[in-house]
Amino acid sequence: MTKPSLPQGTRDFGPETVRKRNFIFNTIRNVFELYGFQPLETPAMENIETLMGKYGDEGDKLIFKILNNGLDNPAKEKQIREDFEKILDGKNNKGITERALKYDLTIPFARFVAMNHTQLTFPFKRYQIQPVWRADRPQKGRYREFYQCDADVVGSNGLMSEVELIQIIYEVYQRLGIPVTIIINNRKILNGIFQKCKIPLEKLNDVLTAIDQFDKIGINNSLLNLLSKGLVQKQIDDLKSILIELATSETPEVLLNNLENKFGNDTKVGVDGIKETKDIFNLLLSINKERLVFFNPKNNPKIYTPSEIKLDFNPYIKLKKGDLNIHFDLTLARGLNYYTASIFEIKANVGSLKSSIGGGGRYDDLTGLFGVPGIPGVGISFGVDRIYDVMEELKLFPAAIHTGTQVLFFNLGNEESKSAFILMQHLRTKGVRCELYHEAVKFDKQFKYAEKKNISFAILIGSKELENKTCSVKDLRNGNQQEMSWDDLLTNFSFL
Amino acid sequence: MTKPSLPQGTRDFGPETVRKRNFIFNTIRNVFELYGFQPLETPAMENIETLMGKYGDEGDKLIFKILNNGLDNPAKEKQIREDFEKILDGKNNKGITERALKYDLTIPFARFVAMNHTQLTFPFKRYQIQPVWRADRPQKGRYREFYQCDADVVGSNGLMSEVELIQIIYEVYQRLGIPVTIIINNRKILNGIFQKCKIPLEKLNDVLTAIDQFDKIGINNSLLNLLSKGLVQKQIDDLKSILIELATSETPEVLLNNLENKFGNDTKVGVDGIKETKDIFNLLLSINKERLVFFNPKNNPKIYTPSEIKLDFNPYIKLKKGDLNIHFDLTLARGLNYYTASIFEIKANVGSLKSSIGGGGRYDDLTGLFGVPGIPGVGISFGVDRIYDVMEELKLFPAAIHTGTQVLFFNLGNEESKSAFILMQHLRTKGVRCELYHEAVKFDKQFKYAEKKNISFAILIGSKELENKTCSVKDLRNGNQQEMSWDDLLTNFSFL
């Protein structure tokens, strides 16, 4: 017999952790419902061809594949050998695996929409709160099994969807008590900049890497490195002039206008991206008014340092509680290939976590992957594990969620406990969460049980109380104790 | 591009189904919490040695195994070949699979208790509501991925646990509106009968099969068939005399007393089982009084037909609503090997489903499998898919759970919809679930959207209403329409 253990990168969640996680799930679910989103659940396993090829080569490797049934059965040896030869010959992998665990919620959702598009009412607004699995190397804060909480609108091009999703992000983090900044960009603007500078879009990652290094080696050196990536001097000069433009603009509005002028007629997609971003910002302004805060690119002499171009992520002290903080950041790109327009990322303004705690974006044609083109969509995803870590660090979980059982009836003997049981059933009918200790042992042991389970009240019925139909109620939080009749206990006492 | 599909035996759950399933889950969860049970969640995947060998040979075959990462990667060809040869040689299966999807919630729970027993407070009362996976042949009502809802008490021998679990079953089905019968037996009594008749316990399945055939071929023929299974005439005669005893007893109490007399000093385990069952029944009587109904073995001249020995499952018309219906059935055995004392099974008294919708039992030493002996326990499990089917058939789901969005704001133009959006945000703050239609199209289309989503109210703000700061509120359930100011909408109107 081996010592029992858990697979690497997976976790058990005990009572307190489940309660805290459910607090996060319920908060997100309630806000999704408030905005008219409907729940969807898809299976843990998908056909392998539904998933493979959707997340890039790296993603394919991280998908957990399920062994076909019977493959570890020695009786099927001949079959296995034959199947395996085929796999090694590259002919197919049907013999060994046909199913896999889902890697995210977006592709299964696209598969669902493609399968059901004739029955669905569009725009279809769905939310989904389920685990996903990735064969990543486990490390702190990164697990092989973790939950995603997604909301997507499909079947509408309207920018109102983006605005609603931003409001949802705002509302969720308000309710959780985490002040956040929502970073916004638009893939079309990025495309426009690259078109304007005549840089091929394949160089996007190289350029973003260069921008990331501004604070380490300076903007000039950093951009010069792009020469080795195949860019020419003219492209680098054009790019630099745009980046300086951005860094010196006083407001997002000025920035967008200047960029629009620069684009002129050279890039239609860039101009479209600017128009979309302006429309989203104007809609946000019209419905949020005084609580909306735009982070402006600073007008600062040290224009070449990164703080002008990237957000300083310690701005919370300057903000009022309840502000909706938006940062327009041209360097936000987000990894996923399928985004085509607006993109979002959420960062906490407090706590030590620097990575994002959520994000999303618009995609033009996700279901096209499954043979149903022409259904655009936009979605967001909340990172529950990271939200949990931030809330733990900042002690943001409300005290009330720690309470399971409210009342422990002590077990003081056979007849006594029978009456206790009957009283307990009456209290349960009234919604009071109760337990009766399972055996008549020493007070100490029963008190200790109550203490460990964080139970607020103990009710004691001994032989004397049994005779008088009374009980002794002890508030374990402050030690107060009072005698009362069973009638009083059931009709007048409050267990708050 | 292949047409998207779902793996056999798995399901997508659309909005309405998720809401109905959540109604069942929440009902069960609330009752579990009322009885002091605490939530636990374990990962979908376990180490393969945690699961294998725990469910019998048949079970082992039905466990979904997960392919080790990289095994479908042609670059690893040599490694795979070598690993595979080892598997075929029966040396190990480490090369191909080390993890598997959980098959039930009990074994992972036992693994959790074994890993954490030094930190847990006993008795540990946990509930767990999670999916499990079985590579069964899919058929109507049987899926490869399905939820289980389990509650277990470990670390106590007290029969109060059994009584509490029976009360939980009663309370859950009361709240769901399904009248049920709880069938009870005790493995120790079965063992006692076999000891008394000197029949080896391995013949249990043969004997139960014979009893199942009483109504088809008669008790005598049926029992005679046991000769071919290796029983001798004396054993069959003794067994028959006990079965007749049972069939002629007027009440469960008489039955238990008669059986106890028969057992005498021949079987200690049998007498223990009778004592336990009596204690449970007496506890149930003391806390339920008038609402407890025992199904009696009937005193009927046709004593050899099965209706005397097995429950007639159409007794509901004879019962009062709210009765706690207990049937003591000596032919109940339940398949799982680990049960050692009380066993339960739940059947619906209404609807067409004949199979059980839940069950459970006591086990002496589940964590012993993982090197931590001496922790007894007792548990129950609710079959959510079957409960769902019964509730659908009998239309037991409350109407309120079908409602997602309560209010649809019509989109009647750019400026109009901006004001609508602001009003909507105010209503959402007050907890009203709203949507604004995503584009300014014909009324028809917007009404159709409201109808399909089962939305109760439409709010219209056209150019005239915009000017007067009013709106038109239409109750889509009855067609009533009224004009009101924005102030009235936000402060006085009720969306119920």
Side-chain angles (χ1 to χ4, degrees):
Chain A
M1 185 165 34
T2 52
K3 216 176 154 219
S5 64
L6 272 178
Q8 261 203 315
T10 68
R11 298 163 285 173
D12 286 324
F13 297 120
E16 188 175 323
T17 312
V18 172
R19 292 215 166 92
K20 287 177 178 171
R21 288 168 59 88
N22 284 344
F23 176 76
I24 299 174
F25 291 137
N26 290 336
T27 302
I28 294 173
R29 184 182 292 116
N30 288 339
V31 176
F32 285 163
E33 291 268 350
L34 209 51
Y35 280 73
F37 285 73
Q38 297 183 297
L40 174 73
E41 289 178 18
T42 65
M45 51 176 80
E46 292 278 349
N47 288 322
I48 204 159
E49 58 269 23
T50 299
L51 305 183
M52 296 296 278
K54 308 301 192 298
Y55 306 103
D57 290 347
E58 271 312 302
D60 277 358
K61 285 184 201 154
L62 301 183
I63 292 171
F64 275 114
K65 288 112 195 158
I66 295 164
L67 201 60
N68 279 358
N69 199 233
L71 255 193
D72 60 336
N73 176 357
K76 290 199 177 174
E77 184 175 323
K78 184 161 168 289
Q79 174 73 53
I80 299 174
R81 261 183 216 279
E82 286 172 12
D83 288 342
F84 219 71
E85 289 304 324
K86 279 188 212 148
I87 298 161
L88 296 180
D89 293 347
K91 284 192 186 139
N92 70 44
N93 69 351
K94 282 268 172 180
I96 192 164
T97 174
E98 288 164 39
R99 288 171 287 263
L101 294 178
K102 66 182 170 214
Y103 178 89
D104 72 0
L105 302 179
T106 308
I107 292 296
F109 172 54
R111 192 264 310 141
F112 172 84
V113 173
M115 277 174 72
N116 299 282
H117 67 104
T118 56
Q119 282 94 56
L120 294 174
T121 308
F122 290 103
F124 181 54
K125 299 162 80 174
R126 88 84 175 76
Y127 70 88
Q128 198 167 345
I129 300 180
Q130 290 193 286
V132 301
W133 293 268
R134 296 183 185 180
D136 250 327
R137 183 180 301 273
Q139 59 188 62
K140 189 176 160 13
R142 183 184 291 173
Y143 305 100
R144 291 186 154 184
E145 171 174 335
F146 59 96
Y147 266 72
Q148 291 192 331
C149 301
D150 283 19
D152 288 80
V153 188
V154 293
S156 164
N157 279 308
L159 297 172
M160 206 176 67
S161 302
E162 272 87 338
V163 174
E164 288 221 307
L165 292 173
I166 291 167
Q167 296 294 141
I168 285 176
I169 295 169
Y170 169 75
E171 184 70 29
V172 164
Y173 287 104
Q174 278 286 112
R175 291 183 182 205
L176 294 175
I178 307 174
V180 297
T181 297
I182 305 170
I183 307 158
I184 298 185
N185 195 10
N186 192 307
R187 280 276 174 99
K188 291 180 182 173
I189 299 180
L190 281 178
N191 291 2
I193 293 174
F194 277 63
Q195 273 192 6
K196 173 73 187 172
C197 304
K198 300 198 171 62
I199 305 172
L201 205 55
E202 304 92 76
K203 302 293 176 189
L204 179 63
N205 281 334
D206 293 328
V207 171
L208 292 174
T209 305
I211 291 173
D212 265 348
Q213 292 177 330
F214 284 3
D215 57 344
K216 290 202 189 103
I217 57 175
I219 189 169
N220 286 323
N221 288 333
S222 185
L223 289 178
L224 279 176
N225 281 345
L226 288 172
L227 287 173
S228 71
K229 300 291 179 185
L231 267 66
V232 297
Q233 192 60 49
K234 174 73 169 67
Q235 292 170 325
I236 290 174
D237 289 344
D238 288 350
L239 187 64
K240 186 171 165 185
S241 116
I242 287 179
L243 290 173
I244 291 176
E245 186 73 52
L246 308 186
T248 54
S249 298
E250 282 193 4
T251 67
E253 199 183 353
V254 172
L255 189 162
L256 287 164
N257 287 338
N258 289 351
L259 200 56
E260 198 172 13
N261 290 337
K262 254 199 196 313
F263 282 169
N265 292 321
D266 293 346
T267 164
K268 183 176 176 313
V269 68
V271 172
D272 284 353
I274 286 174
K275 182 175 181 322
E276 285 177 16
T277 308
K278 280 184 175 175
D279 284 353
I280 291 170
F281 286 173
N282 283 329
L283 256 169
L284 282 173
L285 271 170
S286 76
I287 60 170
N288 289 285
K289 299 211 171 69
E290 64 283 356
R291 75 164 171 234
L292 188 70
V293 176
F294 281 109
F295 282 90
N296 302 332
K298 291 177 203 156
N299 189 0
N300 187 306
K302 293 185 292 163
I303 55 166
Y304 298 127
T305 70
S307 57
E308 287 76 36
I309 295 166
K310 300 196 81 183
L311 176 66
D312 167 15
F313 277 113
N314 214 352
Y316 186 55
I317 42 163
K318 305 170 205 159
L319 302 175
K320 293 196 307 295
K321 202 180 163 183
D323 281 344
L324 167 53
N325 307 310
I326 299 288
H327 177 60
F328 175 53
D329 183 352
L330 276 174
T331 68
L332 176 72
R334 289 186 65 74
L336 286 167
N337 287 326
Y338 49 70
Y339 291 131
T340 49
S342 308
I343 42 182
F344 326 108
E345 204 157 276
I346 310 158
K347 298 212 176 183
N349 295 338
V350 289
S352 59
L353 188 80
K354 295 295 169 225
S355 51
S356 78
I357 54 174
R362 178 173 280 279
Y363 39 86
D364 271 350
D365 189 20
L366 201 61
T367 53
L369 292 167
F370 298 107
V372 183
I375 304 181
V378 54
I380 51 169
S381 187
F382 289 92
V384 174
D385 288 301
R386 290 178 180 172
I387 292 173
Y388 185 96
D389 290 344
V390 172
M391 293 186 68
E392 272 294 68
E393 182 185 351
L394 302 172
K395 302 196 190 335
L396 293 175
F397 286 108
I401 52 173
H402 303 287
T403 315
T405 303
Q406 298 161 280
V407 179
L408 180 68
F409 281 86
F410 274 40
N411 190 328
L412 305 179
N414 221 340
E415 285 311 307
E416 291 84 349
S417 69
K418 267 187 198 165
S419 291
F421 206 138
I422 293 169
L423 282 172
M424 178 170 69
Q425 290 304 98
H426 282 291
L427 284 184
R428 282 171 173 163
T429 307
K430 298 156 75 78
V432 182
R433 298 184 298 278
C434 313
E435 290 182 64
L436 165 60
Y437 197 74
H438 67 120
E439 52 183 3
V441 292
K442 280 187 191 152
F443 274 33
D444 271 14
K445 209 169 168 189
Q446 304 196 42
F447 271 119
K448 202 163 181 184
Y449 180 83
E451 193 188 327
K452 285 211 178 164
K453 282 193 87 170
N454 202 19
I455 296 173
S456 304
F457 294 92
I459 298 183
L460 289 78
I461 300 172
S463 53
K464 196 192 73 195
E465 287 88 357
L466 182 62
E467 201 174 308
N468 302 333
K469 293 189 191 304
T470 60
C471 60
S472 172
V473 181
K474 194 175 173 101
D475 187 330
L476 300 172
R477 297 163 302 186
N478 54 28
N480 291 346
Q481 187 161 342
Q482 49 181 312
E483 291 281 316
M484 64 185 75
S485 72
W486 294 352
D487 268 355
D488 272 353
L489 178 79
L490 296 181
T491 51
N492 300 323
F493 194 74
S494 157
F495 294 94
L496 292 177
Chain B
M1 185 164 38
T2 51
K3 218 178 151 215
S5 65
L6 271 177
Q8 261 201 316
T10 69
R11 297 163 287 173
D12 287 322
F13 297 120
E16 189 175 321
T17 313
V18 172
R19 291 215 167 93
K20 288 177 178 171
R21 287 168 59 89
N22 284 344
F23 175 76
I24 299 174
F25 291 136
N26 290 336
T27 301
I28 295 173
R29 183 181 293 116
N30 288 340
V31 176
F32 285 163
E33 291 268 347
L34 209 51
Y35 280 73
F37 286 73
Q38 297 183 297
L40 172 74
E41 290 178 16
T42 65
M45 51 177 80
E46 292 279 349
N47 288 322
I48 202 158
E49 57 269 24
T50 299
L51 305 184
M52 295 296 277
K54 309 301 190 299
Y55 307 102
D57 290 347
E58 271 312 302
D60 277 359
K61 284 185 200 154
L62 301 184
I63 292 171
F64 275 113
K65 290 110 192 159
I66 295 163
L67 201 60
N68 278 358
N69 198 232
L71 255 195
D72 60 337
N73 177 357
K76 292 200 176 172
E77 183 175 322
K78 184 161 166 290
Q79 175 73 53
I80 300 174
R81 260 182 215 279
E82 286 171 11
D83 287 342
F84 220 71
E85 290 301 324
K86 278 187 213 148
I87 298 161
L88 296 181
D89 293 347
K91 286 194 183 134
N92 72 44
N93 69 352
K94 281 269 173 184
I96 193 165
T97 174
E98 288 163 38
R99 286 171 289 262
L101 294 180
K102 66 181 170 219
Y103 178 89
D104 72 359
L105 302 179
T106 308
I107 292 297
F109 173 55
R111 191 263 310 142
F112 173 85
V113 173
M115 277 174 72
N116 298 282
H117 66 103
T118 55
Q119 281 94 56
L120 293 175
T121 309
F122 290 103
F124 181 54
K125 300 162 79 174
R126 86 85 175 77
Y127 70 88
Q128 197 167 346
I129 301 180
Q130 290 194 287
V132 300
W133 293 266
R134 296 182 186 181
D136 250 326
R137 184 180 301 274
Q139 60 188 60
K140 190 176 160 9
R142 184 184 291 172
Y143 304 99
R144 291 186 154 182
E145 172 174 334
F146 58 95
Y147 267 72
Q148 290 191 332
C149 300
D150 283 19
D152 288 80
V153 188
V154 293
S156 165
N157 279 309
L159 297 172
M160 206 178 66
S161 302
E162 272 87 339
V163 174
E164 288 223 306
L165 292 174
I166 291 167
Q167 296 294 140
I168 286 177
I169 295 169
Y170 169 74
E171 184 70 29
V172 163
Y173 288 105
Q174 278 285 113
R175 291 182 182 207
L176 294 175
I178 306 175
V180 297
T181 297
I182 305 171
I183 306 158
I184 297 185
N185 195 10
N186 192 307
R187 280 276 174 98
K188 292 180 182 172
I189 300 181
L190 281 178
N191 292 1
I193 293 173
F194 277 63
Q195 274 192 6
K196 173 73 189 171
C197 303
K198 300 200 172 60
I199 304 172
L201 205 55
E202 303 91 78
K203 302 291 176 190
L204 179 63
N205 282 333
D206 292 329
V207 171
L208 292 174
T209 306
I211 291 173
D212 265 347
Q213 292 175 330
F214 284 4
D215 56 344
K216 288 200 189 104
I217 58 175
I219 188 169
N220 287 321
N221 289 333
S222 187
L223 289 178
L224 280 176
N225 280 345
L226 287 172
L227 288 173
S228 71
K229 301 289 179 186
L231 267 67
V232 299
Q233 192 61 48
K234 173 76 168 64
Q235 292 171 326
I236 291 174
D237 290 343
D238 288 350
L239 187 63
K240 187 173 164 185
S241 116
I242 287 180
L243 290 173
I244 291 176
E245 186 72 51
L246 309 185
T248 54
S249 299
E250 281 192 7
T251 68
E253 199 182 352
V254 172
L255 190 161
L256 287 164
N257 288 337
N258 289 350
L259 201 55
E260 200 172 10
N261 290 336
K262 256 199 191 316
F263 282 169
N265 292 321
D266 294 345
T267 165
K268 184 178 176 309
V269 67
V271 173
D272 285 351
I274 286 173
K275 183 175 181 323
E276 285 178 16
T277 308
K278 280 184 177 175
D279 284 352
I280 291 170
F281 287 173
N282 283 329
L283 258 169
L284 282 173
L285 271 170
S286 77
I287 59 171
N288 289 284
K289 298 210 172 71
E290 65 285 355
R291 74 164 172 235
L292 188 70
V293 175
F294 282 109
F295 282 90
N296 301 332
K298 292 177 202 158
N299 189 1
N300 187 307
K302 293 185 294 165
I303 56 166
Y304 298 127
T305 70
S307 56
E308 286 75 36
I309 295 166
K310 301 199 78 181
L311 177 66
D312 166 15
F313 276 114
N314 215 350
Y316 185 55
I317 42 164
K318 308 172 206 157
L319 302 175
K320 291 195 309 296
K321 203 179 162 184
D323 280 346
L324 168 53
N325 307 309
I326 299 286
H327 176 59
F328 175 53
D329 182 352
L330 275 175
T331 68
L332 177 72
R334 289 188 64 76
L336 287 167
N337 287 327
Y338 49 71
Y339 291 131
T340 49
S342 308
I343 41 182
F344 326 108
E345 203 158 274
I346 310 157
K347 297 212 178 184
N349 295 338
V350 290
S352 58
L353 189 81
K354 294 293 168 227
S355 51
S356 80
I357 54 175
R362 177 172 281 281
Y363 39 87
D364 270 350
D365 188 21
L366 201 60
T367 54
L369 292 168
F370 299 106
V372 182
I375 305 180
V378 54
I380 50 168
S381 186
F382 289 92
V384 174
D385 288 301
R386 290 178 180 173
I387 292 173
Y388 184 96
D389 289 346
V390 172
M391 293 187 68
E392 272 294 69
E393 182 185 351
L394 303 172
K395 301 196 188 337
L396 293 175
F397 287 109
I401 53 173
H402 303 288
T403 314
T405 304
Q406 299 162 279
V407 179
L408 180 68
F409 280 87
F410 274 40
N411 191 326
L412 305 178
N414 220 342
E415 285 312 306
E416 290 85 348
S417 68
K418 268 188 198 164
S419 292
F421 205 139
I422 293 169
L423 282 171
M424 178 169 68
Q425 290 304 98
H426 282 290
L427 284 185
R428 283 171 172 162
T429 307
K430 296 156 78 76
V432 183
R433 298 185 298 277
C434 314
E435 290 184 62
L436 165 59
Y437 197 75
H438 68 121
E439 52 182 3
V441 291
K442 281 188 191 151
F443 273 34
D444 270 13
K445 210 170 167 186
Q446 305 196 40
F447 270 119
K448 203 163 179 184
Y449 180 83
E451 193 189 326
K452 285 209 177 166
K453 282 193 86 171
N454 203 18
I455 297 173
S456 303
F457 293 93
I459 299 183
L460 289 77
I461 300 172
S463 53
K464 197 192 73 194
E465 288 87 357
L466 182 63
E467 201 174 306
N468 302 333
K469 294 190 191 302
T470 61
C471 60
S472 172
V473 180
K474 194 175 173 100
D475 187 329
L476 299 173
R477 299 164 300 186
N478 54 27
N480 291 347
Q481 187 161 341
Q482 49 182 313
E483 291 282 319
M484 64 184 74
S485 71
W486 293 352
D487 269 355
D488 272 353
L489 178 78
L490 296 181
T491 50
N492 300 323
F493 194 75
S494 156
F495 293 95
L496 293 177

